[in-house]
Amino acid sequence: MGSLCGNLAVLLLFLSPLMHSHLFARASTSSPPTTRKEIIIMNDFTLVNTSTDYDDYSIIPEVVPSVKHPRLHNEPGTTACNYNSCLENQEPCEMIKAREGCLCPGRSGEDRPPHAPRIQALQPITTGESAGKVEVQWCAPDSDVSSYKVIVEGGGSDLEFGNGARRGMVGYLEVGTKVCVEAINKAGHSGYSDFSCKRYERPESLELKLLAGVIGGGIVLILLLIIVAVVLCRRKMCQKAQRESVSGLGNPSYKSERAS
């Protein structure tokens, strides 16, 4: 009996490694292979394809950041030229560009009709020999211009000015008169637009503003005086009533009447 049990124990020890290796092989063949999903990394990084299957998870794909080049400010050719299209008889923007290396606004050439200029104001003259007359002020368009023409509604002949002009006298105008400015070059002239025409409106004079201020201040002063007078009168009436009540209490006839 003892020898039989010993033989069975030896047989089990011999078969156990074979069974273990067989079960492990079946489990490894039945389970699906593990794969890594594809990852695409964006936002300031270069694309790295990590779709390769990695059995060793200690390998980490390298992420290479993209190189950014900072924009340098105040470089030649990146700043706008100090040029104002509304100033009269100033240096052309092309000459400023050649000297300073700045940028000029885009301009249409002489082979195309110019864009319409923009009227800044219809300003009345208040002093000097031209007092009462109106001066028109405009800004140049982004086009090559050889001259300007000012047209007054209901007026006589049109007024012409050179390409460096930005203002011109149009004489005496009635309120509501329409004034337009045209730009001219070899290819033609600009048409009318909402910003190249303007109707004259008489501005309020300084004397009228001062008069209105004086009248308003006088009205406010009168109201303050009335309020002060009413307050003083009420105060005097209250003081008088208090004095009369005190004098009545000190009168003997007033006391005898109260006793009876």
Side-chain angles (χ1 to χ4, degrees):
M1 186 68 180
S3 62
L4 180 61
C5 291
N7 293 333
L8 290 175
V10 171
L11 182 62
L12 290 174
L13 290 173
F14 179 77
L15 293 176
S16 59
L18 297 177
M19 294 177 64
H20 179 72
S21 61
H22 179 69
L23 292 174
F24 182 78
R26 286 181 60 86
S28 62
T29 55
S30 60
S31 61
T34 58
T35 59
R36 297 287 299 277
K37 294 183 179 181
E38 182 178 359
I39 302 174
I40 299 177
I41 303 172
M42 302 181 67
N43 294 333
D44 297 337
F45 292 96
T46 58
L47 298 181
V48 178
N49 190 347
T50 60
S51 60
T52 307
D53 297 338
Y54 293 100
D55 294 333
D56 187 1
Y57 287 91
S58 63
I59 301 176
I60 300 175
E62 182 182 2
V63 178
V64 182
S66 60
V67 179
K68 288 186 176 181
H69 299 282
R71 184 178 179 180
L72 299 178
H73 298 279
N74 298 327
E75 292 182 352
T78 59
T79 57
C81 296
N82 186 15
Y83 177 80
N84 189 347
S85 61
C86 301
L87 294 181
E88 193 172 32
N89 296 324
Q90 61 178 328
E91 187 179 9
C93 188
E94 287 74 14
M95 297 181 64
I96 302 176
K97 177 181 179 181
R99 184 178 65 253
E100 300 180 3
C102 52
L103 295 176
C104 290
R107 299 172 63 89
S108 59
E110 295 182 352
D111 57 340
R112 298 181 59 184
H115 300 296
R118 177 172 57 88
I119 290 185
Q120 253 190 325
L122 294 174
Q123 188 68 33
I125 306 299
T126 57
T127 59
E129 297 178 356
S130 301
K133 295 182 180 180
V134 178
E135 181 184 67
V136 56
Q137 302 171 1
W138 66 86
C139 299
D142 294 331
S143 305
D144 286 336
V145 179
S146 58
S147 62
Y148 293 96
K149 181 187 293 185
V150 177
I151 302 98
V152 180
E153 183 182 36
S157 58
D158 301 334
L159 304 175
E160 294 189 5
F161 301 90
N163 60 350
R166 299 293 185 270
R167 63 183 62 196
M169 198 75 64
V170 294
Y172 300 97
L173 296 180
E174 295 182 358
V175 176
T177 302
K178 186 177 181 180
V179 179
C180 297
V181 180
E182 282 188 349
I184 302 172
N185 62 9
K186 295 179 180 179
H189 59 86
S190 62
Y192 296 155
S193 64
D194 294 336
F195 54 85
S196 65
C197 296
K198 190 178 182 67
R199 293 192 178 275
Y200 175 65
E201 297 178 359
R202 189 186 304 277
E204 296 182 2
S205 62
L206 182 61
E207 291 79 6
L208 292 177
K209 292 182 180 180
L210 291 175
L211 181 60
V214 170
I215 293 174
I219 293 174
V220 172
L221 181 60
I222 292 173
L223 291 175
L224 289 176
L225 291 175
I226 292 174
I227 293 172
V228 171
V230 171
V231 172
L232 292 176
C233 290
R234 291 179 62 87
R235 185 177 179 181
K236 289 182 178 180
M237 292 175 63
C238 292
Q239 291 176 354
K240 183 178 180 181
Q242 289 178 358
R243 287 196 300 269
E244 289 179 352
S245 62
V246 171
S247 61
L249 291 174
N251 192 351
S253 59
Y254 178 77
K255 293 181 180 179
S256 62
E257 289 178 1
R258 289 293 300 272
S260 62

